[in-house]
Amino acid sequence: MPDEELVEPLAEVKGIATFEDLNPDPHITEINLFAHYTEVELEPGEKTAVMAYNGVAPGPLLQARVGDTVVVHLYNQLSEPTTVHWHGLRISDQMDGNPRIMSPVEPGESFTYEFVLPDAGTYWYHPHVSTIEQVERGLYGAIVVSEEDAPEFNSERIVVLDDVRLTNDFQIASFSQAGHDIVHGRAGNALLTNGSTQPLKDSVGRGAVERWRLVNTSQARHMSLSIEGAAWRVIATDGGLLPQPYTRERLDITVGQRFDLEVTFDGEPGSTVEVIQHVLAVVDDEVQEVPFVVGEYTIDGDEPEPATPNYPQITLPEIPTQAEEIVSLLGGYNDPEKGVVFTINGESGMDIEDVVVPQGVPHFLRVKNDIGPFHPFHLHGQFFQILTRDGVDALEPGLKDSVFIGAFEEVTLLTHFDNPGEWMYHCHIPAHAENGMMSQMIVTPAE
Ligand code: C2O
Ligand code: CU
């Protein structure tokens, strides 16, 4: 018998059940991932036909520790090709689900993804082909990678925020290839929190300190949240913990992004904490913010042992005063035959020239939105920091892989291109990416 190494169990993450780990080695998480058709209850008592991973939408939570190996056996039981992209993980490009590198997994076929988790943080997974339909129909799930010396909380929760467009009988509405759904991306008519139209509910002790991990997996909904009745601050972004937590009135999460919050239940016993999503809607012919409660927590007495999380020291990559520049102009036009076409630097899709950069050399990435709709810009395989918006300091600290870019806004990002390989970058609104706003950056390995 080899010596049993003592490995602390991972903290339980409430909200979504984890995968069954088939590997007894505590440093290897090995799972079966079935992409198939099934029915789920998005609305209580109603069955919705979906595409799902392992029978649930969102798919099971993939939870492991930084440095662990993950082995995923994907079985495609759909009648169309698919791949899995591990959004935010800085792994090898061969495992990234990029259909320009790996041929998609055909119906009835399987593929094994294997990688080592390089960074702690909150991430997610989804297909990288036919994303307009596959993600909307239910193929998406969250990933939690714990720190080596993870801070301790009274509870950890995963909160996957999504929206979906349902018909009157609670089926996924049909997809249109033109018009508003392409120009702005497909907006849902039902908000989903961990795959349900109902708010999350729980009771919590006064004084409890929790870690919430929020993910926006929607097609095209920029989310704006507030938490009423509890104190909270941002402790982590896409790329993991921050050097310094910060506070805001609202938490804005654009498509693809993640934020971890430290939430302190400092209200009186008997009081309620509400998580409110502020949704833009047309009311009386005017665009207004309408509050939707997506979480409801009752304080039911005192937490016997309030946690005092001990955050590891984090330093972000240095910000140079000068660096090479890459300019990406996000645009689009109306083609009489093809309809709306989206572009980067005037070209569309495969016509866009790849950007080639050497590994480890810092670059300023100037991304300018040259058209009306917002774009949640996403770069695979690397993290970046958001430096400025229209020349003004962005005050959005932390490592990110996704960023909101408003109409006609110019955002300056800093990336060090640490991870060699072929990396897609694109708008995370699938209707934009699949209609042209998607290309690659090739990071050539350092000697
Ligand atoms: Cu979340 Cu290229 O994707
Ligand atoms: Cu876009």
Side-chain angles (χ1 to χ4, degrees), residues 314-345:
I314 305 284
T315 14
L316 297 179
E318 216 179 300
I319 300 176
T321 45
Q322 287 191 346
E324 299 283 319
E325 288 198 10
I326 297 167
V327 175
S328 289
L329 199 61
L330 308 180
Y333 61 92
N334 229 317
D335 184 282
E337 270 151 46
K338 290 183 256 174
V340 185
V341 172
F342 289 93
T343 58
I344 300 175
N345 295 335

Side-chain angles (χ1 to χ4, degrees), residues 377-410:
F377 178 87
H378 171 48
L379 171 61
H380 288 208
Q382 322 289 331
F383 295 136
F384 52 74
Q385 297 178 69
I386 307 172
L387 302 185
T388 61
R389 290 187 179 274
D390 288 334
V392 178
D393 278 357
L395 305 178
E396 294 162 72
L399 298 175
K400 319 250 180 173
D401 54 57
S402 305
V403 56
F404 172 88
I405 307 180
F408 304 104
E409 191 175 35
E410 185 185 72

Side-chain angles (χ1 to χ4, degrees), residues 85-88 96 124-128 256 378-380 401-402 424-428 438:
H85 168 55
W86 314 94
H87 182 127
D96 194 47
W124 63 297
Y125 60 96
H126 62 78
H128 223 290
H378 171 48
L379 171 61
H380 288 208
D401 54 57
S402 305
M424 306 191 99
Y425 68 102
H426 58 90
C427 175
H428 217 290
M438 174 151 66

Side-chain angles (χ1 to χ4, degrees), residues 299 312 339 422:
I299 300 184
E422 271 180 62

Side-chain angles (χ1 to χ4, degrees), residues 106-419:
E106 294 297 324
E109 303 283 292
S110 63
F111 181 81
T112 296
Y113 295 88
E114 182 170 340
F115 45 84
V116 173
L117 295 166
D119 306 287
T122 306
Y123 305 95
W124 63 297
Y125 60 96
H126 62 78
H128 223 290
V129 291
S130 309
T131 50
I132 299 178
E133 291 212 17
Q134 290 191 5
V135 183
E136 173 82 348
R137 289 190 187 279
L139 293 174
Y140 63 100
I143 304 172
V144 167
V145 183
S146 299
E147 294 83 15
E148 184 63 60
D149 242 326
E152 287 179 27
F153 297 86
N154 292 112
S155 286
E156 287 201 34
R157 300 179 194 272
I158 184 86
V159 180
V160 177
L161 300 161
D162 192 13
D163 71 356
V164 66
R165 190 181 301 169
L166 297 175
T167 60
N168 289 337
D169 55 354
F170 300 99
Q171 299 311 304
I172 309 284
S174 58
F175 291 80
S176 69
Q177 307 309 322
H180 193 280
D181 281 8
I182 300 299
V183 174
H184 295 275
R186 175 171 161 118
N189 57 3
L191 293 177
L192 297 179
T193 315
N194 292 350
S196 171
T197 58
Q198 302 304 300
L200 299 172
K201 285 200 168 120
D202 206 352
S203 55
V204 176
R206 171 168 65 176
V209 182
E210 299 195 341
R211 180 178 190 162
W212 292 7
R213 299 166 178 273
L214 295 95
V215 191
N216 180 353
T217 64
S218 72
Q219 293 267 309
R221 184 179 296 281
H222 182 78
M223 313 247 183
S224 188
L225 300 174
S226 62
I227 301 174
E228 315 289 339
W232 61 276
R233 47 187 197 156
V234 177
I235 56 169
T237 54
D238 294 344
L241 288 169
L242 292 164
Q244 288 290 340
Y246 68 87
T247 55
R248 289 281 185 278
E249 285 286 298
R250 284 278 182 92
L251 179 70
D252 271 29
I253 316 180
T254 209
V255 178
Q257 279 186 325
R258 291 85 62 207
F259 284 93
D260 291 12
L261 309 182
E262 176 201 77
V263 181
T264 303
F265 287 82
D266 56 356
E268 290 304 312
S271 68
T272 307
V273 173
E274 283 186 334
V275 183
I276 296 171
Q277 190 168 329
H278 303 269
V279 175
L280 289 178
V282 181
V283 184
D284 299 334
D285 283 340
E286 264 181 63
V287 179
Q288 290 182 9
E289 273 195 350
V290 182
F292 279 91
V293 176
V294 296
E296 223 173 71
Y297 300 86
T298 13
I299 300 184
D300 67 344
D302 286 315
E303 171 65 39
E305 278 185 72
T308 46
N310 198 352
Y311 295 106
Q313 220 192 329
I314 305 284
T315 14
L316 297 179
E318 216 179 300
I319 300 176
T321 45
Q322 287 191 346
E324 299 283 319
E325 288 198 10
I326 297 167
V327 175
S328 289
L329 199 61
L330 308 180
Y333 61 92
N334 229 317
D335 184 282
E337 270 151 46
K338 290 183 256 174
V340 185
V341 172
F342 289 93
T343 58
I344 300 175
N345 295 335
E347 299 285 356
S348 181
M350 297 299 264
D351 293 336
I352 305 168
E353 212 183 311
D354 290 341
V355 175
V356 182
V357 289
Q359 182 188 2
V361 176
H363 279 71
F364 293 137
L365 206 56
R366 299 204 193 281
V367 192
K368 172 131 180 38
N369 181 356
D370 217 19
I371 45 174
F374 83 94
H375 302 291
F377 178 87
H378 171 48
L379 171 61
H380 288 208
Q382 322 289 331
F383 295 136
F384 52 74
Q385 297 178 69
I386 307 172
L387 302 185
T388 61
R389 290 187 179 274
D390 288 334
V392 178
D393 278 357
L395 305 178
E396 294 162 72
L399 298 175
K400 319 250 180 173
D401 54 57
S402 305
V403 56
F404 172 88
I405 307 180
F408 304 104
E409 191 175 35
E410 185 185 72
V411 173
T412 303
L413 312 172
L414 167 69
T415 175
H416 285 74
F417 291 117
D418 300 307
N419 192 12

Side-chain angles (χ1 to χ4, degrees), residues 4-26:
E4 288 274 315
E5 201 189 330
L6 200 65
V7 178
E8 292 242 353
L10 295 167
E12 183 205 349
V13 179
K14 294 179 180 168
I16 295 174
T18 54
F19 282 100
E20 186 193 349
D21 182 0
L22 307 170
N23 197 307
D25 186 322

Side-chain angles (χ1 to χ4, degrees), residues 21-101:
D21 182 0
L22 307 170
N23 197 307
D25 186 322
H27 295 296
I28 303 175
T29 300
E30 185 165 358
I31 59 174
N32 285 332
L33 184 65
F34 300 97
H36 59 167
Y37 301 100
T38 186
E39 287 182 332
V40 294
E41 271 187 34
L42 304 175
E43 172 82 7
E46 303 287 345
K47 293 250 182 283
T48 304
V50 294
M51 292 177 174
Y53 292 122
N54 296 16
V56 285
L61 180 70
L62 175 54
Q63 193 191 7
R65 187 179 274 108
V66 64
D68 285 358
T69 297
V70 175
V71 182
V72 180
H73 306 289
L74 168 69
Y75 297 92
N76 183 4
Q77 299 174 344
L78 304 167
S79 58
E80 58 185 70
T82 194
T83 68
V84 184
H85 168 55
W86 314 94
H87 182 127
L89 297 184
R90 299 192 300 168
I91 54 178
S92 153
D93 60 358
Q94 303 304 307
M95 294 291 141
D96 194 47
N98 175 351
R100 295 188 192 180
I101 294 180

